[in-house]
Amino acid sequence: MTSNKTEKPWGGRFTAPTNEFVEQFTQSVSYDQRLAHYDIMGSIAHVRMLAKVGVITKKEGTQITAGLKKIALDIKAGQFQWQTALEDVHMNIETALVQGIGDVGKKLHTGRSRNDQVATDIRLYLRDEIDQITQQINSVLKALLSLATDHADTIMPGFTHLQSAQPVTFGHHLLAWAEMLLRDRSRLQDCRKRFNLLPLGSAALAGTSYPIDRAMVAEALGFDGVTQNSLDSVSDRDFAIEFAAAASLIMMHLSRFSEELVIWMSQASGFIDLGDAWCTGSSIMPQKKNPDIPELVRGKTGRVYGDLMALLTLMKAQPLAYNRDNQEDKESLFDAIDTVKMCLIAYAGLIPTITVKKEVMYKAAAAGYATATDLADYLVVKGLPFRDAHEVVGKTVQYAIQKKKDLPSLTLAELQQFSHVIKEDVFAVLELEGSVSARNHVGGTAPKRVRAAIKRLGKQIK
Ligand code: ARG
């Protein structure tokens, strides 16, 4: 990127050249050049509209459009000279246009301002990014469903307070993550729908006196309509904040997911292993294989929360309409987008490498008296009030702990010490398989329900 003393498109009322530090301090082209494609798209739609309503001639419209297309190709080929002195992506492109096609290029900026231009560019850009992130969420969902299919019957301890609570199926646990990601996906769609309106035509803040056709531009750019207040349109960054909030929730979910993978891969738990290609080692301890991918995802969550905070704080107390503060929206927004995308790629790749140590999971589920609630429910069916049943089972568990036995290994005689209503059929409910299969309702952990949920979720992923 070069920084030569370029004449500014806004230089008319200035008598001194811009201070060099000020050029560096005010520039955004080093990062907003990623909007170039959308900037050109917006400009082409704008210029076609200007030609259609007669503000410029058809010929001028065609010349400008051709010039812009040429610039798009140069940028794509890496042959475009970005100049810091030209501040941002908008003025770089506009200046190159005038250099390329001559004075007619100066007509492009008729009836618009960089304020409505940048508001349009970010919306176009974010829309595409949301579509990509949606596809990435779908990839993670597919990986989850495939693993859940393999483990619809696999029994593991379910936890509350990280204490063994009740047996669940691993497939059911995986689908809990799928539900979170589905909500994340719908939050993105909701945000997209709300901001998919064209701000262009608002000009600097008050609108424009040219007979513009905003609906035509909106349609050309795939917007659902136009924004309704020019002051709001050039200053609104709600959509970036909404996106960052949705991105934060995605990261929050991925960090919970990460935490569980880290725990499960630890020697203390030993429930799963992750593929060698998706782990890294230690430079000093030769035996180590570390879950760095989930740890980094957990760590990167903080960045995205930071981006959300930065955007919220950026907008706080800004008076109407556009203020230069708004230029600071981009790096936070871009960082949130880049981070979420990387983490989703990581998860789509990582999940298929998960190997499940079924026996370890099963043993852990059996060891934690996880069917105690089933025994209590059994006593209730036999006529005991639930509170009494709770008491009986508490005593039974205490006895089993003393005897160093799990519940299904107690004899009938041992069990009957605590209640005479206990009969031979009790063993069906004390077994882990019986416990999970009994939870056979919508939302329950029964293998049958897991399979039904996989089917339902599969239909929601295209
Ligand atoms: N680079 C600016 C931004 O990102 C574009 C708008 C500049 N408008 C202005 N009045 N200086 O917000």
Side-chain angles (χ1 to χ4, degrees):
M1 197 166 343
T2 57
S3 169
N4 48 10
K5 287 268 163 290
T6 313
E7 275 198 33
K8 310 278 192 263
W10 43 252
R13 61 100 65 222
F14 286 78
T15 52
T18 316
N19 173 289
E20 253 175 58
F21 168 78
V22 171
E23 277 191 347
Q24 287 298 331
F25 191 70
T26 55
Q27 71 84 26
S28 56
V29 65
S30 61
Y31 51 86
D32 69 12
Q33 53 181 271
R34 79 156 81 179
L35 299 175
H37 165 69
Y38 302 97
D39 194 67
I40 290 174
M41 227 170 107
S43 289
I44 290 176
H46 176 68
V47 110
R48 285 187 174 147
M49 180 276 291
L50 291 180
K52 166 98 185 308
V53 301
V55 172
I56 60 173
T57 67
K58 295 257 175 312
K59 189 170 167 221
E60 288 166 339
T62 314
Q63 283 174 303
I64 296 173
T65 302
L68 286 168
K69 284 185 176 167
K70 163 87 178 52
I71 292 171
L73 291 176
D74 289 347
I75 293 172
K76 212 169 163 204
Q79 279 162 2
F80 190 86
Q81 276 286 335
W82 296 103
Q83 296 184 54
T84 308
L86 289 170
E87 249 179 71
D88 55 24
V89 61
H90 323 292
M91 292 206 303
N92 266 270
I93 291 174
E94 193 188 331
T95 305
L97 179 72
V98 178
Q99 273 162 12
I101 65 169
D103 278 356
V104 60
K106 294 181 181 169
K107 295 201 170 187
L108 166 64
H109 211 52
T110 313
R112 76 170 186 187
S113 148
R114 277 185 293 155
N115 297 352
D116 58 346
Q117 192 180 348
V118 71
T120 304
D121 292 2
I122 316 173
R123 285 167 192 244
L124 288 170
Y125 160 77
L126 184 58
R127 206 173 66 184
D128 268 8
E129 292 290 2
I130 285 181
D131 292 344
Q132 283 180 36
I133 294 170
T134 302
Q135 285 315 314
Q136 290 181 325
I137 291 179
N138 285 346
S139 301
V140 178
L141 284 168
K142 275 184 201 149
L144 280 173
L145 292 198
S146 152
L147 193 61
T149 306
D150 296 342
H151 294 285
D153 301 278
T154 303
I155 288 173
M156 68 180 288
F159 300 93
T160 60
H161 316 272
L162 213 52
Q163 306 284 317
S164 193
Q166 291 179 346
V168 294
T169 48
F170 186 52
H172 191 55
H173 195 117
L174 292 168
L175 295 187
W177 288 330
E179 293 291 341
M180 297 178 219
L181 285 171
L182 266 189
R183 290 197 296 278
D184 290 333
R185 197 181 69 174
S186 91
R187 258 185 288 273
L188 289 175
Q189 295 314 312
D190 189 38
C191 159
R192 185 194 194 282
K193 202 164 120 207
R194 203 173 356 266
F195 77 71
N196 195 29
L197 298 170
L198 175 81
L200 206 64
S202 305
L205 76 162
T208 174
S209 54
Y210 297 98
I212 55 170
D213 183 348
R214 296 185 66 206
M216 175 186 166
V217 181
E219 208 193 310
L221 295 174
F223 284 108
D224 297 328
V226 300
T227 57
Q228 298 293 320
N229 181 297
S230 62
L231 294 166
D232 176 44
S233 303
V234 293
S235 66
D236 165 34
R237 294 293 182 274
D238 292 7
F239 60 93
I241 296 174
E242 274 193 52
F243 170 79
S248 295
L249 284 168
I250 296 175
M251 292 304 297
M252 181 272 283
H253 287 148
L254 291 182
S255 82
R256 294 182 65 187
F257 195 164
S258 298
E259 175 74 358
E260 294 198 325
L261 294 182
V262 171
I263 292 173
W264 293 348
M265 196 181 145
S266 73
Q267 281 74 24
S269 158
F271 287 178
I272 62 158
D273 199 7
L274 300 174
D276 275 8
W278 285 80
C279 292
T280 55
S282 156
S283 55
I284 174 168
M285 297 167 283
Q287 85 284 12
K288 294 272 280 176
K289 174 176 157 185
N290 297 326
D292 296 69
I293 299 297
E295 285 174 346
L296 277 169
V297 170
R298 199 173 56 185
K300 284 176 190 292
T301 305
R303 287 172 75 122
V304 178
Y305 290 6
D307 295 328
L308 170 62
M309 276 307 128
L311 288 167
L312 277 168
T313 314
L314 171 72
M315 294 313 294
K316 176 185 175 292
Q318 265 197 53
L320 286 172
Y322 176 85
N323 301 283
R324 191 61 177 269
D325 314 38
N326 288 347
Q327 182 166 294
E328 287 288 311
D329 63 353
K330 286 168 207 67
E331 282 171 297
S332 300
L333 180 65
F334 296 168
D335 185 68
I337 290 170
D338 294 346
T339 308
V340 163
K341 284 171 83 178
M342 292 270 278
C343 292
L344 288 168
I345 291 172
Y347 263 93
L350 184 67
I351 294 167
T353 79
I354 296 176
T355 47
V356 177
K357 300 185 192 161
K358 284 192 188 184
E359 341 65 62
V360 182
M361 278 187 177
Y362 192 89
K363 247 177 114 180
Y369 303 100
T371 52
T373 314
D374 296 85
L375 179 56
D377 291 343
Y378 169 88
L379 294 171
V380 168
V381 172
K382 299 277 177 183
L384 261 70
F386 184 77
R387 275 291 152 232
D388 292 345
H390 192 286
E391 174 80 13
V392 166
V393 178
K395 294 216 157 72
T396 312
V397 168
Q398 198 182 44
Y399 172 85
I401 292 171
Q402 274 168 17
K403 293 281 166 192
K404 297 196 168 57
K405 283 179 158 189
D406 55 28
L407 289 178
S409 2
L410 294 175
T411 64
L412 186 58
E414 281 178 304
L415 287 163
Q416 282 172 336
Q417 298 172 77
F418 303 98
S419 171
H420 64 274
V421 303
I422 298 179
K423 298 277 155 7
E424 189 63 39
D425 60 351
V426 74
F427 292 105
V429 306
L430 293 182
E431 292 297 338
L432 301 176
E433 288 78 2
S435 169
V436 293
S437 300
R439 282 153 175 80
N440 186 20
H441 54 79
V442 173
T445 192
K448 240 180 154 176
R449 291 298 171 168
V450 173
R451 289 196 187 90
I454 291 169
K455 246 196 192 154
R456 170 178 56 79
L457 291 164
K459 283 189 202 137
Q460 296 183 61
I461 309 165
K462 271 158 260 148

